[in-house]
Amino acid sequence: MKRKITLKQIARELDVSISTVSKALRNSPEISADTKQKVQAFAKLYNYRPNNIALSLKNRKTNTIGIIIPEIVHHFFSKVIRGVELVANKRGYNVIIGLSNESFSKEVINMEMLANGSIDGFILSISKETLQLQDYHHFNETMSQGMPIVMFDRVVSDINCDKVIVNDFGGAKSAVEKLITNGCKSIALITTKDYVSVGKLRTQGYMDALNDAGFELESELILKLDDKLDYEVHLDALENEIEHLFKSNKSVDGVFAVNELYALSAMKVARKLGLEIPKDIQVIGFTDGVLSKHSTPSLTTVSQHAQVMGEKAADLLINRLETEHNENEDETYQTVVIETDLIERKSTK
Amino acid sequence: MKRKITLKQIARELDVSISTVSKALRNSPEISADTKQKVQAFAKLYNYRPNNIALSLKNRKTNTIGIIIPEIVHHFFSKVIRGVELVANKRGYNVIIGLSNESFSKEVINMEMLANGSIDGFILSISKETLQLQDYHHFNETMSQGMPIVMFDRVVSDINCDKVIVNDFGGAKSAVEKLITNGCKSIALITTKDYVSVGKLRTQGYMDALNDAGFELESELILKLDDKLDYEVHLDALENEIEHLFKSNKSVDGVFAVNELYALSAMKVARKLGLEIPKDIQVIGFTDGVLSKHSTPSLTTVSQHAQVMGEKAADLLINRLETEHNENEDETYQTVVIETDLIERKSTK
DNA sequence: TTGTACGCGTTATCAT
DNA sequence: ATGATAACGCGTACAA
């Protein structure tokens, strides 16, 4: 087992100084052709590569991006990562990931871990617990130490930094407008409790669309579900709530759900109650998932372009990292809004 | 904007030497209570944290794991990552990811990038292109430089290293046995071409089960699909092939598919042909996806326990990193086999 | 009890 | 044309 070779070893082996080796390898005109030739051949033979860690220390630049997300087993987030990774690699950066698992303390710990020199900047989406606690000190501290942050999707206006968000309001609104255009007269909303900003915005889009169309807003048609009912676990409870909604509002002929799972559950319950999709009831989900395409019937969705979000976030961060910022130049941050697309499938007419 | 504080700055500020500060912070008995108190208070005030990069350089240990996977937008791989991250964090390691995107050259480049000091060891799953080319020099080179590798799922016997694999053979066999027990008389197999080892093993499990039960092996019942037909893209082509299989073998009353998408497509085609599931035809998929649970009917699957694989791989790697290896001790590698579970849902009787 | 010197691997600057 | 030195930030063996 041969350890990785260093400049020092090459220097000793060829009986020259370390700096000569360094210069020869970087093709410095200071060095004679002879020596260059000799050193480069030797280096190639032993497959010399400069040590990243030493370079990072010297340059005070790691060329690594830290990404903190609440959950990786989630189509939306993994697509964002793919986008980040794509751009980062293209521009010479690595990506290191930290999972907050929706927990405030894990978010804080992970960020502290990475902020101590391991990375040049963060791309992150805030955990639910942090949003509930509204404790953002760790973001401010990180930034005040000169480490830039780009937030995506789950952002808060309290923090001053670059952001990439989806047009949640507009996407939701146009989805509901689609249902209205398709003839729906009584449209239900299945959403989450309000503390996650994106949920709130989507709810507003729903309301605005109804309002514009001159519909009455009926609070019984709005189902606000607890987040604990998310994902795999309490599928039954989820379906029960939806079933109750349908049963007490028999006229419902359209459903807008703020995520894929809610939309699928709605379809499942509808089928169970003997309703035909899209004849009797039409469904649209806000999502970036895989389920929609393969469900029966396939689900019409509002696409969030997660990968584009990741790419954009990475570009924003790297641009900021590589732009010379004078000390007393007042930093101006931008918020990029990604427009959604309505992908029409078989759950709407 | 205050930059991160260093030992040197604290030393200058308090008018002591750097090493005094260092010792005081590590609570060395060499230092007087007074000085310790003073230094620690100051450090706390300025929120001092040692620089990871400097520590890595000094200790020649990064406490970071590199993970190379073919694709991140994939339920199986993201679950593995979650497992790795869980264990890594618990044991004081960070995780840095590289995506090969199923490409040989990207796999090589990514590994070289990380191997130059950024990480202590690799956890990886081989890309399809690499498996086709059978070019494994980059793995051997990495290991010969003293950097350990743990492979998972897609492994090759040519390489001598720790491995974590699924019991593909056994899982497939018991799935097919289940179909037989449930009364199936004519069981089709939908699989991929053979160069991906896991596909081959699952095919063997299928054949073994049939053999044990005294069934005739009928080659028309085996559908070997091109990998290019995978995933999102050529869904139609996929379904056409399956439809052709069903139409030319009307007696088929059971299907074993080596992945989730194939299984779902089989169900879709079956429904289209007027077959009832599971009454007329039963289906089982080998998978770790989200689709199974939410399909109609929900799909009986062979669970691979992806997260456990990740956890196990991380433990293997970290154990090796932290065990003192004498120079001339012949290393002995282990292969951990994760047993599968049959998750019975509505696509079987 | 405190400080000095050294080394991790690299590059830039200055001296020879 | 080549080499010595300092510096990035840290910890530790050794000296004072």
Side-chain angles (χ1 to χ4, degrees), chain A residues 4 52 113 116 118 271 296, chain B residues 4 52 113 116 118 296:
Chain A
K4 290 231 64 167
N52 288 332
M113 191 125 184
N116 297 321
S118 300
R271 257 200 325 271
T296 35
Chain B
K4 291 229 64 167
N52 288 333
M113 188 121 185
N116 297 323
S118 301
T296 36

Side-chain angles (χ1 to χ4, degrees), chain B residues 295-335:
Chain B
S295 62
T296 36
S298 58
L299 178 69
T300 295
T301 64
V302 180
S303 165
Q304 304 167 79
H305 303 297
Q307 180 167 341
V308 175
M309 291 186 76
E311 292 169 10
K312 195 66 205 169
D315 270 323
L316 278 180
L317 180 61
I318 297 177
N319 287 347
R320 190 163 290 279
L321 288 174
E322 296 186 346
T323 191
E324 284 316 315
H325 34 231
N326 305 340
E327 193 54 49
N328 31 5
E329 144 200 12
D330 43 3
E331 321 244 29
T332 158
Y333 296 104
Q334 53 179 310
T335 294

Side-chain angles (χ1 to χ4, degrees), chain B residues 57-259:
Chain B
L57 183 59
K58 177 148 192 45
N59 303 331
R60 288 140 136 206
K61 177 114 174 44
T62 63
N63 273 262
T64 301
I65 291 176
I67 175 163
I68 309 276
I69 51 172
E71 172 61 82
I72 197 174
V73 187
H74 199 300
H75 201 252
F76 174 73
F77 287 119
S78 55
K79 275 210 155 182
V80 172
I81 294 186
R82 184 207 257 165
V84 172
E85 225 266 347
L86 189 76
V87 169
N89 268 22
K90 193 179 298 167
R91 298 184 67 172
Y93 285 73
N94 280 318
V95 176
I96 184 166
I97 58 167
L99 306 182
S100 68
N101 198 26
E102 301 287 11
S103 136
F104 172 74
S105 62
K106 270 213 71 180
E107 184 174 278
V108 173
I109 290 172
N110 255 307
M111 284 189 66
E112 280 179 353
M113 188 121 185
L114 297 184
N116 297 323
S118 301
I119 60 160
D120 296 332
F122 281 107
I123 290 176
L124 62 85
S125 195
I126 308 177
S127 83
K128 282 182 190 164
E129 196 185 357
T130 306
L131 288 171
Q132 273 180 304
L133 298 175
Q134 301 191 36
D135 182 343
Y136 309 128
H137 76 277
H138 49 310
F139 303 137
N140 288 321
E141 263 171 30
T142 304
M143 286 170 48
S144 81
Q145 289 175 351
M147 177 158 305
I149 294 180
V150 177
M151 294 190 176
F152 70 90
D153 196 51
R154 301 206 206 139
V155 306
V156 291
S157 53
D158 311 31
I159 307 285
N160 219 337
C161 66
D162 289 320
K163 292 165 191 166
V164 181
I165 55 176
V166 153
N167 187 349
D168 287 289
F169 176 84
K173 184 169 178 183
S174 62
V176 175
E177 284 170 349
K178 173 72 187 175
L179 290 174
I180 295 173
T181 308
N182 279 9
C184 293
K185 299 297 178 200
S186 175
I187 302 174
L189 169 71
I190 308 181
T191 183
T192 56
K193 303 247 188 262
D194 269 354
Y195 62 87
V196 176
S197 54
V198 297
K200 197 191 298 188
L201 287 168
R202 291 172 198 173
T203 300
Q204 286 170 355
Y206 161 86
M207 298 198 282
D208 209 53
L210 292 190
N211 201 41
D212 282 7
F215 279 45
E216 200 84 21
L217 208 64
E218 302 176 57
S219 62
E220 319 92 74
L221 291 184
I222 300 183
L223 183 55
K224 289 198 184 186
L225 295 167
D226 199 320
D227 269 296
K228 274 85 188 179
L229 299 181
D230 231 56
Y231 307 125
E232 329 274 304
V233 205
H234 292 98
L235 209 50
D236 289 346
L238 177 59
E239 288 167 11
N240 286 340
E241 295 234 38
I242 296 174
E243 185 166 345
H244 180 258
L245 169 74
F246 284 175
K247 281 184 171 164
S248 33
N249 299 275
K250 306 255 182 194
S251 63
V252 168
D253 56 2
V255 174
F256 173 61
V258 298
N259 65 43

